Coordinates of all heavy atoms in Angstrom, one line a residue:
M1 N -10.4 -3.1 28.8 CA -10.3 -3.3 27.4 C -9.2 -4.2 27.0 O -8.0 -4.0 27.5 CB -10.1 -1.9 26.7 CG -9.9 -2.0 25.2 SD -9.6 -0.4 24.4 CE -11.0 0.5 24.7
G2 N -9.4 -5.2 26.2 CA -8.4 -6.2 25.9 C -7.5 -5.6 24.8 O -7.8 -4.5 24.2
L3 N -6.4 -6.2 24.5 CA -5.4 -5.7 23.6 C -6.0 -5.6 22.2 O -5.8 -4.7 21.5 CB -4.2 -6.7 23.6 CG -3.0 -6.2 22.8 CD1 -2.5 -4.8 23.3 CD2 -1.9 -7.2 22.9
R4 N -6.8 -6.7 21.8 CA -7.4 -6.6 20.4 C -8.3 -5.5 20.3 O -8.3 -4.8 19.3 CB -8.1 -8.0 20.2 CG -8.6 -8.0 18.8 CD -9.2 -9.4 18.5 NE -9.7 -9.4 17.1 CZ -9.9 -10.5 16.5 NH1 -9.7 -11.7 17.0 NH2 -10.3 -10.4 15.2
A5 N -9.2 -5.2 21.3 CA -10.1 -4.1 21.3 C -9.4 -2.8 21.3 O -9.8 -1.8 20.6 CB -11.1 -4.2 22.4
F6 N -8.3 -2.7 22.0 CA -7.5 -1.5 22.0 C -7.0 -1.2 20.7 O -7.1 0.0 20.2 CB -6.4 -1.6 23.0 CG -5.4 -0.5 22.9 CD1 -5.7 0.8 23.5 CD2 -4.1 -0.7 22.3 CE1 -4.7 1.8 23.4 CE2 -3.2 0.4 22.2 CZ -3.5 1.6 22.8
Y7 N -6.4 -2.1 20.0 CA -5.8 -1.9 18.6 C -6.9 -1.6 17.6 O -6.7 -0.8 16.7 CB -4.9 -3.1 18.2 CG -3.6 -3.0 18.8 CD1 -3.1 -4.0 19.6 CD2 -2.7 -2.0 18.5 CE1 -1.9 -4.0 20.2 CE2 -1.5 -1.9 19.1 CZ -1.0 -2.9 19.9 OH 0.2 -2.9 20.5
A8 N -8.1 -2.2 17.8 CA -9.2 -1.9 16.9 C -9.6 -0.5 17.0 O -9.8 0.2 16.0 CB -10.3 -2.9 17.1
A9 N -9.7 0.0 18.3 CA -10.1 1.4 18.5 C -9.0 2.3 18.0 O -9.3 3.4 17.5 CB -10.4 1.6 20.0
L10 N -7.8 2.0 18.2 CA -6.7 2.8 17.8 C -6.7 2.9 16.3 O -6.5 4.0 15.7 CB -5.4 2.2 18.3 CG -4.1 3.0 17.9 CD1 -4.1 4.4 18.5 CD2 -2.9 2.3 18.3
G11 N -6.9 1.8 15.6 CA -7.0 1.8 14.1 C -8.1 2.8 13.6 O -7.9 3.5 12.6
R12 N -9.2 2.8 14.3 CA -10.3 3.7 13.8 C -10.0 5.1 14.2 O -10.5 6.0 13.5 CB -11.6 3.2 14.5 CG -12.2 1.9 13.9 CD -13.5 1.6 14.4 NE -13.6 1.3 15.8 CZ -13.3 0.1 16.3 NH1 -13.1 -0.9 15.5 NH2 -13.4 -0.1 17.6
A13 N -9.2 5.3 15.2 CA -8.9 6.7 15.6 C -7.9 7.4 14.7 O -7.9 8.6 14.6 CB -8.4 6.7 17.1
V14 N -7.0 6.6 14.1 CA -6.0 7.2 13.3 C -6.6 7.2 11.8 O -6.6 6.2 11.2 CB -4.7 6.4 13.3 CG1 -3.6 7.0 12.4 CG2 -4.2 6.3 14.8
Q15 N -7.0 8.4 11.4 CA -7.6 8.5 10.1 C -6.6 8.3 9.0 O -5.5 8.7 9.1 CB -8.3 9.9 9.9 CG -9.4 10.1 10.9 CD -10.6 9.2 10.6 OE1 -10.9 8.9 9.4 NE2 -11.2 8.7 11.6
G16 N -7.0 7.6 7.9 CA -6.1 7.4 6.8 C -5.1 6.4 7.0 O -4.2 6.2 6.1
T17 N -5.1 5.6 8.0 CA -4.1 4.5 8.2 C -4.7 3.2 7.9 O -5.9 2.9 8.4 CB -3.7 4.5 9.7 OG1 -3.1 5.8 10.0 CG2 -2.6 3.5 9.9
P18 N -4.1 2.4 7.1 CA -4.6 1.1 6.7 C -4.8 0.2 8.0 O -3.9 0.3 8.9 CB -3.7 0.5 5.8 CG -2.4 1.2 5.9 CD -2.8 2.6 6.4
R19 N -5.8 -0.6 8.1 CA -6.0 -1.5 9.2 C -6.0 -2.9 8.6 O -6.7 -3.2 7.7 CB -7.3 -1.2 9.8 CG -7.6 -2.1 11.0 CD -8.7 -1.6 11.8 NE -9.1 -2.6 12.8 CZ -10.3 -3.2 12.9 NH1 -11.3 -2.8 12.1 NH2 -10.5 -4.1 13.8
V20 N -5.1 -3.8 9.1 CA -5.0 -5.2 8.7 C -5.4 -6.1 9.8 O -5.0 -5.9 10.9 CB -3.5 -5.5 8.3 CG1 -3.4 -7.0 7.8 CG2 -3.1 -4.6 7.1
E21 N -6.3 -7.0 9.5 CA -6.9 -7.9 10.5 C -7.0 -9.3 10.0 O -7.3 -9.5 8.8 CB -8.2 -7.4 10.9 CG -8.9 -8.2 12.0 CD -10.2 -7.6 12.5 OE1 -10.3 -6.4 12.7 OE2 -11.2 -8.4 12.5
V22 N -6.7 -10.3 10.8 CA -6.8 -11.7 10.4 C -8.0 -12.2 11.2 O -8.1 -12.1 12.4 CB -5.6 -12.5 10.7 CG1 -5.8 -14.0 10.4 CG2 -4.4 -12.0 10.0
E23 N -9.0 -12.7 10.4 CA -10.2 -13.2 11.1 C -10.8 -14.4 10.3 O -10.9 -14.4 9.1 CB -11.3 -12.1 11.2 CG -11.7 -11.6 9.9 CD -12.8 -10.5 10.0 OE1 -12.7 -9.7 11.0 OE2 -13.6 -10.4 9.1
G24 N -11.0 -15.5 11.0 CA -11.6 -16.7 10.4 C -10.9 -17.2 9.2 O -11.5 -17.6 8.2
G25 N -9.6 -17.2 9.2 CA -8.8 -17.8 8.1 C -8.6 -16.8 6.9 O -8.2 -17.3 5.9
R26 N -9.0 -15.6 7.1 CA -8.8 -14.6 6.0 C -8.1 -13.4 6.5 O -8.2 -13.1 7.7 CB -10.1 -14.3 5.3 CG -11.1 -13.5 6.2 CD -12.4 -13.3 5.5 NE -13.3 -12.5 6.4 CZ -14.0 -11.5 6.0 NH1 -14.0 -11.1 4.7 NH2 -14.7 -10.8 6.8
L27 N -7.5 -12.7 5.6 CA -6.8 -11.4 6.0 C -7.6 -10.3 5.3 O -8.0 -10.3 4.2 CB -5.4 -11.4 5.4 CG -4.5 -10.2 5.8 CD1 -3.1 -10.7 6.1 CD2 -4.5 -9.2 4.7
V28 N -7.9 -9.3 6.1 CA -8.7 -8.2 5.7 C -7.9 -6.9 5.8 O -7.3 -6.6 6.8 CB -10.0 -8.0 6.5 CG1 -10.8 -6.8 6.1 CG2 -10.9 -9.3 6.4
V29 N -7.9 -6.1 4.7 CA -7.3 -4.8 4.7 C -8.4 -3.7 4.6 O -9.1 -3.7 3.6 CB -6.3 -4.6 3.6 CG1 -5.6 -3.2 3.6 CG2 -5.2 -5.7 3.6
E30 N -8.5 -2.8 5.6 CA -9.5 -1.8 5.5 C -8.7 -0.5 5.2 O -7.5 -0.4 5.5 CB -10.2 -1.6 6.9 CG -11.1 -2.9 7.2 CD -11.8 -2.7 8.5 OE1 -11.5 -1.8 9.3 OE2 -12.6 -3.6 8.8
C31 N -9.5 0.5 4.8 CA -8.9 1.9 4.5 C -8.0 1.7 3.3 O -6.8 2.0 3.4 CB -8.3 2.5 5.7 SG -7.9 4.2 5.4
H32 N -8.5 1.3 2.2 CA -7.6 1.1 1.0 C -8.1 1.9 -0.2 O -9.2 2.5 -0.1 CB -7.6 -0.4 0.6 CG -8.9 -0.9 0.0 ND1 -9.1 -0.8 -1.4 CD2 -10.1 -1.3 0.5 CE1 -10.3 -1.2 -1.6 NE2 -10.9 -1.5 -0.5
R33 N -7.3 2.0 -1.2 CA -7.7 2.7 -2.4 C -7.7 1.8 -3.6 O -7.9 2.3 -4.8 CB -6.6 3.8 -2.7 CG -6.6 4.9 -1.6 CD -5.6 5.9 -1.9 NE -5.6 7.0 -0.9 CZ -4.6 7.8 -0.8 NH1 -3.5 7.7 -1.5 NH2 -4.6 8.8 0.2
G34 N -7.5 0.5 -3.5 CA -7.6 -0.4 -4.6 C -6.4 -1.3 -4.6 O -5.5 -1.2 -3.8
V35 N -6.5 -2.3 -5.5 CA -5.4 -3.3 -5.6 C -4.5 -2.9 -6.8 O -4.9 -2.6 -7.9 CB -6.1 -4.7 -5.9 CG1 -5.0 -5.7 -6.2 CG2 -7.0 -5.1 -4.8
R36 N -3.2 -2.8 -6.5 CA -2.2 -2.4 -7.5 C -1.7 -3.6 -8.3 O -1.4 -3.5 -9.5 CB -1.0 -1.8 -6.8 CG -1.2 -0.4 -6.3 CD 0.1 0.2 -5.8 NE -0.2 1.6 -5.4 CZ 0.8 2.3 -4.9 NH1 2.0 1.9 -4.8 NH2 0.5 3.6 -4.5
A37 N -1.5 -4.7 -7.6 CA -1.0 -5.9 -8.3 C -1.6 -7.2 -7.6 O -1.9 -7.2 -6.4 CB 0.5 -6.0 -8.2
Y38 N -1.8 -8.2 -8.4 CA -2.5 -9.4 -7.9 C -1.9 -10.6 -8.6 O -1.9 -10.7 -9.9 CB -4.0 -9.3 -8.2 CG -4.8 -10.6 -7.9 CD1 -4.9 -11.1 -6.6 CD2 -5.4 -11.2 -8.9 CE1 -5.6 -12.2 -6.4 CE2 -6.1 -12.4 -8.7 CZ -6.2 -12.9 -7.4 OH -6.9 -14.0 -7.1
S39 N -1.4 -11.6 -7.8 CA -1.0 -12.9 -8.3 C -1.2 -13.9 -7.2 O -1.6 -13.5 -6.1 CB 0.5 -12.8 -8.8 OG 1.3 -12.8 -7.7
E40 N -0.9 -15.2 -7.5 CA -1.1 -16.2 -6.5 C -0.1 -16.0 -5.4 O -0.3 -16.6 -4.3 CB -0.9 -17.6 -7.1 CG -2.1 -18.2 -7.8 CD -1.9 -19.6 -8.1 OE1 -0.7 -20.1 -8.0 OE2 -2.9 -20.3 -8.4
T41 N 1.0 -15.3 -5.6 CA 2.1 -15.2 -4.6 C 2.2 -13.8 -4.0 O 2.9 -13.6 -3.0 CB 3.4 -15.6 -5.1 OG1 3.7 -14.8 -6.3 CG2 3.4 -17.1 -5.5
C42 N 1.6 -12.8 -4.6 CA 1.7 -11.4 -4.1 C 0.5 -10.5 -4.4 O 0.1 -10.5 -5.6 CB 3.0 -10.8 -4.7 SG 3.2 -9.0 -4.2
I43 N -0.1 -9.9 -3.4 CA -1.1 -8.9 -3.6 C -0.7 -7.6 -3.0 O -0.3 -7.6 -1.8 CB -2.5 -9.4 -3.0 CG1 -2.9 -10.7 -3.6 CG2 -3.5 -8.3 -3.1 CD1 -4.1 -11.3 -3.0
R44 N -0.7 -6.5 -3.8 CA -0.3 -5.2 -3.4 C -1.5 -4.3 -3.3 O -2.2 -4.1 -4.3 CB 0.8 -4.6 -4.3 CG 2.1 -5.4 -4.2 CD 3.1 -5.0 -5.3 NE 3.0 -3.6 -5.6 CZ 3.4 -3.1 -6.8 NH1 3.8 -3.9 -7.7 NH2 3.3 -1.8 -7.0
V45 N -1.8 -3.8 -2.1 CA -3.0 -3.0 -1.9 C -2.6 -1.5 -1.7 O -1.8 -1.3 -0.7 CB -3.8 -3.5 -0.7 CG1 -5.1 -2.7 -0.5 CG2 -4.2 -5.0 -0.9
D46 N -3.1 -0.6 -2.5 CA -2.8 0.8 -2.3 C -3.6 1.4 -1.1 O -4.8 1.1 -1.0 CB -3.2 1.5 -3.6 CG -2.8 3.0 -3.6 OD1 -1.9 3.4 -2.9 OD2 -3.5 3.8 -4.4
C47 N -2.9 2.1 -0.2 CA -3.5 2.6 0.9 C -3.0 4.1 1.1 O -2.0 4.4 0.6 CB -3.1 1.8 2.2 SG -3.7 0.1 2.2
P48 N -3.7 4.9 1.9 CA -3.3 6.2 2.2 C -1.9 6.2 2.8 O -1.7 5.4 3.8 CB -4.3 6.8 3.1 CG -5.5 6.0 2.9 CD -5.0 4.6 2.5
G49 N -0.9 6.8 2.3 CA 0.4 6.9 2.9 C 1.3 5.7 2.5 O 2.4 5.7 3.0
G50 N 0.8 4.8 1.6 CA 1.7 3.7 1.3 C 1.0 2.5 0.6 O 0.0 2.7 0.0
E51 N 1.6 1.4 0.8 CA 1.1 0.2 0.2 C 1.3 -1.0 1.1 O 2.3 -1.2 1.8 CB 1.9 -0.1 -1.1 CG 1.7 -1.3 -1.8 CD 2.6 -1.4 -3.0 OE1 2.2 -0.9 -4.1 OE2 3.7 -2.0 -2.9
V52 N 0.2 -1.9 1.2 CA 0.3 -3.1 2.0 C 0.6 -4.2 1.0 O -0.1 -4.4 0.0 CB -1.0 -3.4 2.8 CG1 -1.0 -4.7 3.4 CG2 -1.3 -2.3 3.8
C53 N 1.7 -4.9 1.3 CA 2.1 -6.1 0.5 C 1.8 -7.4 1.2 O 2.4 -7.6 2.3 CB 3.6 -6.0 0.1 SG 4.0 -4.5 -0.9
I54 N 1.1 -8.2 0.6 CA 0.7 -9.5 1.2 C 1.4 -10.6 0.3 O 1.2 -10.7 -0.9 CB -0.8 -9.7 1.2 CG1 -1.5 -8.6 1.9 CG2 -1.2 -11.1 1.8 CD1 -2.9 -8.4 1.5
E55 N 2.3 -11.4 0.9 CA 3.0 -12.4 0.2 C 2.7 -13.8 0.7 O 2.5 -13.9 1.9 CB 4.5 -12.1 0.3 CG 5.0 -10.8 -0.4 CD 6.4 -10.6 -0.2 OE1 7.2 -11.2 -0.8 OE2 6.7 -9.7 0.7
G56 N 2.6 -14.8 -0.1 CA 2.3 -16.1 0.3 C 2.1 -17.0 -0.9 O 2.7 -16.8 -2.0
E57 N 1.2 -18.0 -0.7 CA 1.0 -19.0 -1.7 C -0.5 -19.2 -1.9 O -1.3 -19.0 -0.9 CB 1.6 -20.4 -1.3 CG 3.1 -20.3 -1.2 CD 3.7 -21.6 -0.7 OE1 3.0 -22.7 -0.9 OE2 4.8 -21.6 -0.2
R58 N -0.9 -19.4 -3.1 CA -2.4 -19.7 -3.4 C -3.3 -18.5 -2.9 O -4.3 -18.8 -2.4 CB -2.8 -21.0 -2.9 CG -2.1 -22.2 -3.5 CD -2.6 -23.6 -3.1 NE -2.6 -23.8 -1.7 CZ -1.5 -24.1 -1.0 NH1 -0.4 -24.3 -1.6 NH2 -1.6 -24.3 0.3
L59 N -2.8 -17.3 -3.0 CA -3.6 -16.2 -2.6 C -4.7 -15.9 -3.6 O -4.5 -15.9 -4.8 CB -2.7 -14.9 -2.5 CG -1.5 -15.0 -1.5 CD1 -0.6 -13.7 -1.6 CD2 -1.9 -15.3 -0.1
T60 N -5.9 -15.6 -3.0 CA -7.0 -15.2 -3.8 C -7.7 -14.0 -3.2 O -7.7 -13.9 -2.0 CB -8.0 -16.4 -4.0 OG1 -8.5 -16.8 -2.7 CG2 -7.4 -17.6 -4.7
L61 N -8.3 -13.2 -4.0 CA -9.2 -12.1 -3.5 C -10.6 -12.7 -3.3 O -11.2 -13.1 -4.2 CB -9.3 -11.0 -4.5 CG -8.1 -10.1 -4.7 CD1 -8.3 -9.1 -5.8 CD2 -7.8 -9.4 -3.4
E62 N -10.9 -12.8 -2.0 CA -12.2 -13.3 -1.6 C -13.3 -12.2 -1.9 O -14.4 -12.6 -2.3 CB -12.2 -13.8 -0.2 CG -13.5 -14.3 0.3 CD -13.5 -14.7 1.7 OE1 -13.3 -13.9 2.6 OE2 -13.7 -15.9 2.0
A63 N -13.0 -11.0 -1.5 CA -13.9 -9.9 -1.7 C -13.2 -8.6 -1.8 O -12.1 -8.4 -1.3 CB -14.8 -9.8 -0.5
L64 N -13.8 -7.7 -2.6 CA -13.2 -6.4 -2.8 C -14.3 -5.4 -2.9 O -15.2 -5.5 -3.7 CB -12.4 -6.4 -4.2 CG -11.9 -5.0 -4.6 CD1 -10.8 -4.5 -3.6 CD2 -11.3 -5.1 -6.0
S65 N -14.3 -4.5 -1.9 CA -15.3 -3.5 -1.8 C -14.7 -2.1 -1.5 O -13.5 -2.1 -1.3 CB -16.4 -3.8 -0.8 OG -15.8 -3.7 0.5
R66 N -15.5 -1.1 -1.5 CA -14.9 0.2 -1.1 C -14.4 0.2 0.4 O -13.5 0.9 0.7 CB -16.0 1.3 -1.2 CG -16.3 1.6 -2.6 CD -17.4 2.7 -2.6 NE -17.0 3.6 -3.6 CZ -17.8 4.7 -3.9 NH1 -18.8 4.9 -3.2 NH2 -17.4 5.5 -4.8
A67 N -15.0 -0.6 1.2 CA -14.6 -0.7 2.6 C -13.4 -1.6 2.9 O -12.6 -1.3 3.8 CB -15.8 -1.2 3.4
E68 N -13.3 -2.7 2.2 CA -12.2 -3.6 2.5 C -11.8 -4.5 1.3 O -12.6 -4.7 0.4 CB -12.6 -4.5 3.7 CG -13.8 -5.4 3.4 CD -14.2 -6.2 4.6 OE1 -14.2 -5.7 5.7 OE2 -14.6 -7.4 4.4
V69 N -10.6 -5.1 1.5 CA -10.1 -6.1 0.6 C -9.9 -7.4 1.5 O -9.3 -7.3 2.5 CB -8.7 -5.7 0.0 CG1 -8.1 -6.9 -0.8 CG2 -8.8 -4.5 -0.8
S70 N -10.5 -8.5 1.0 CA -10.4 -9.7 1.8 C -9.6 -10.7 1.0 O -9.9 -11.0 -0.2 CB -11.8 -10.2 2.1 OG -11.8 -11.5 2.7
V71 N -8.6 -11.3 1.6 CA -7.6 -12.3 1.0 C -7.7 -13.6 1.7 O -7.6 -13.7 2.9 CB -6.2 -11.7 1.0 CG1 -5.2 -12.7 0.4 CG2 -6.2 -10.4 0.2
R72 N -7.7 -14.7 0.9 CA -7.5 -16.0 1.4 C -6.3 -16.7 0.8 O -5.9 -16.3 -0.3 CB -8.7 -16.9 1.1 CG -9.9 -16.6 2.0 CD -10.7 -17.9 2.3 NE -11.9 -17.6 3.0 CZ -12.0 -17.7 4.3 NH1 -11.0 -18.2 5.0 NH2 -13.1 -17.4 4.9
G73 N -5.7 -17.6 1.5 CA -4.6 -18.3 1.1 C -3.6 -18.5 2.2 O -3.9 -18.2 3.3
Q74 N -2.4 -19.0 1.8 CA -1.4 -19.2 2.8 C -0.5 -18.0 2.9 O 0.5 -17.8 2.1 CB -0.6 -20.4 2.4 CG 0.3 -21.0 3.5 CD 0.8 -22.3 3.2 OE1 1.0 -22.7 2.0 NE2 1.2 -23.1 4.2
V75 N -0.8 -17.1 3.8 CA 0.0 -15.8 3.9 C 1.3 -16.1 4.7 O 1.3 -16.7 5.8 CB -0.9 -14.8 4.7 CG1 -0.1 -13.5 4.9 CG2 -2.2 -14.5 3.9
R76 N 2.4 -15.6 4.1 CA 3.7 -15.8 4.7 C 4.2 -14.5 5.3 O 4.8 -14.5 6.3 CB 4.7 -16.2 3.6 CG 4.4 -17.5 3.0 CD 5.1 -18.6 3.7 NE 4.9 -19.9 3.0 CZ 4.5 -21.0 3.5 NH1 4.2 -21.0 4.8 NH2 4.3 -22.0 2.8
Q77 N 3.8 -13.3 4.7 CA 4.3 -12.1 5.2 C 3.4 -10.9 4.8 O 2.9 -10.9 3.7 CB 5.8 -11.9 4.6 CG 6.4 -10.6 5.0 CD 7.8 -10.5 4.6 OE1 8.6 -11.3 5.0 NE2 8.2 -9.6 3.7
V78 N 3.3 -10.0 5.7 CA 2.5 -8.7 5.4 C 3.4 -7.6 5.7 O 3.9 -7.5 6.9 CB 1.2 -8.7 6.2 CG1 0.5 -7.4 5.8 CG2 0.3 -9.9 5.9
T79 N 3.6 -6.7 4.8 CA 4.5 -5.5 5.1 C 3.8 -4.2 4.6 O 3.0 -4.2 3.7 CB 5.8 -5.6 4.4 OG1 5.6 -5.8 3.0 CG2 6.7 -6.7 4.9
L80 N 4.1 -3.1 5.3 CA 3.6 -1.8 4.9 C 4.8 -1.0 4.4 O 5.8 -0.8 5.2 CB 2.9 -1.1 6.1 CG 2.5 0.3 5.9 CD1 1.5 0.4 4.9 CD2 2.1 0.9 7.2
H81 N 4.7 -0.6 3.2 CA 5.7 0.3 2.6 C 5.1 1.7 2.6 O 4.2 2.0 1.9 CB 6.0 -0.2 1.2 CG 6.6 -1.6 1.1 ND1 7.9 -1.9 1.4 CD2 6.0 -2.7 0.9 CE1 8.1 -3.2 1.3 NE2 6.9 -3.7 1.0
R82 N 5.7 2.6 3.4 CA 5.2 4.0 3.5 C 5.8 4.8 2.4 O 6.9 4.6 2.0 CB 5.6 4.6 4.9 CG 4.9 3.9 6.0 CD 4.7 4.9 7.2 NE 4.0 4.2 8.2 CZ 2.7 4.4 8.4 NH1 2.0 5.2 7.6 NH2 2.0 3.8 9.4
T83 N 5.0 5.8 2.0 CA 5.4 6.7 1.0 C 5.2 8.1 1.5 O 4.4 8.3 2.4 CB 4.6 6.6 -0.3 OG1 3.2 6.8 -0.1 CG2 4.8 5.3 -1.0
G84 N 5.9 9.1 1.0 CA 5.8 10.4 1.5 C 6.4 10.6 2.8 O 7.0 9.8 3.4
G85 N 6.1 11.8 3.4 CA 6.8 12.2 4.7 C 5.8 12.4 5.7 O 5.8 12.5 6.8

């Protein structure tokens, strides 16, 4: 099993943990509860246990569904801010 496949399996195994993946020039966040804030430079995604912050330039929401949030643009930084204990 390659490293990418290992992390994909691990992400599915840990229930309630957001999964962030870069594929085909887009950034995808799975296991989310919605978008908290949206601008060209910052997208904040509510997730179980915290918030995923995507920072960059010319950010756009390509798709938003119950399963995932898809973002395009020039991503500079992605951070997970945990809440609770």
Side-chain angles (χ1 to χ4, degrees):
M1 174 184 297
L3 190 58
R4 185 176 183 161
F6 170 77
Y7 280 117
L10 181 63
R12 287 187 294 275
V14 180
Q15 294 296 320
T17 300
R19 181 168 171 237
V20 178
E21 182 176 310
V22 178
E23 60 179 34
R26 68 184 182 136
L27 184 139
V28 177
V29 179
E30 295 179 352
C31 192
H32 73 92
R33 294 181 180 161
V35 175
R36 286 188 179 181
Y38 170 66
S39 74
E40 277 192 347
T41 58
C42 178
I43 298 176
R44 293 173 32 211
V45 181
D46 185 22
C47 297
E51 174 180 270
V52 174
C53 295
I54 304 157
E55 297 177 72
E57 298 175 22
R58 296 183 304 278
L59 300 177
T60 59
L61 285 175
E62 181 181 61
L64 175 61
S65 71
R66 290 179 136 180
E68 66 184 34
V69 175
S70 176
V71 175
R72 283 218 185 255
Q74 194 168 26
V75 175
R76 298 272 185 226
Q77 179 173 300
V78 178
T79 55
L80 173 64
H81 299 280
R82 293 207 176 264
T83 58

